[in-house]
Amino acid sequence: MSSDASKKSGKATGSKDNAVQLQRNEKGGILITPDELKVAWDFFDTNDKKKLTTLDIKRRLQTFYKDITAREVKFLLNNEPEITFDDLYKLLKDNQLTNFDPVKEAFKVYDPNNTGFVDMDMVKYFFKELGYGEISDEDAKIILETADGDKDGRIGLDDFRMMVPFGQPADDQPAGSAD
């Protein structure tokens, strides 16, 4: 697809700067489904407590954002000390976020040098820090081969987008395209 055609169609072509048209809620914000939120919830609610505290959130986010403060986390929880899944969904379902791509933001933590590609050392670090164990070079190679949808030997934003269960393009806006 030519770059002119991709601009008209809104399809991402592999460039890290291409905007993707995300599914929208009734208020024009990013559509967040209960299933998508449940995946994120389960990442934070590691003890199945059915509620999250600022400490729960901060503990998990510090793996990715070393300098995150309790104040910032409390802001994420609508200035409450804890939140349930239902309350979080009510808070997020009618969001009006229009210029935000959650997958692109998540991708940035895996690409700290802004190369446009996942840094496999970061993947190894996150796995270890999150308690999933160490990843050998062979395991890293398997992860890379599995996640590399366009088979260019790297995990770019479009490849990354295909791996995550949230922030997917609208049905008429696939994440990748054949250039």
Side-chain angles (χ1 to χ4, degrees), residues 1-11 13:
M1 175 183 295
S2 74
S3 63
D4 287 340
S6 66
K7 286 178 189 172
K8 289 178 185 171
S9 71
K11 294 178 181 175
T13 59

Side-chain angles (χ1 to χ4, degrees), residues 36-105:
E36 290 173 335
L37 187 58
K38 181 75 168 105
V39 171
W41 180 270
D42 289 346
F43 173 78
F44 290 100
D45 187 18
T46 58
N47 296 319
D48 199 29
K49 296 185 306 185
K50 308 296 184 206
K51 66 179 179 180
L52 295 174
T53 66
T54 53
L55 185 59
D56 296 328
I57 303 264
K58 186 175 180 184
R59 238 186 243 131
R60 295 296 267 184
L61 284 181
Q62 278 185 319
T63 299
F64 306 100
Y65 307 101
K66 291 289 181 213
D67 298 327
I68 195 162
T69 65
R71 183 177 178 191
E72 290 168 320
V73 174
K74 195 170 181 183
F75 175 77
L76 293 173
L77 296 180
N78 204 28
N79 291 315
E80 298 293 332
E82 62 185 37
I83 196 164
T84 65
F85 177 86
D86 289 339
D87 289 339
L88 182 61
Y89 182 67
K90 287 175 194 169
L91 181 68
L92 295 176
K93 73 177 181 136
D94 291 327
N95 75 79
Q96 296 179 19
L97 295 170
T98 56
N99 293 321
F100 181 74
D101 181 345
V103 177
K104 190 172 184 178
E105 291 304 311

Side-chain angles (χ1 to χ4, degrees), residues 160-176:
F160 187 79
R161 189 176 302 283
M162 301 302 251
M163 296 185 323
V164 296
F166 60 86
Q168 294 301 310
D171 289 339
D172 61 339
Q173 302 292 323

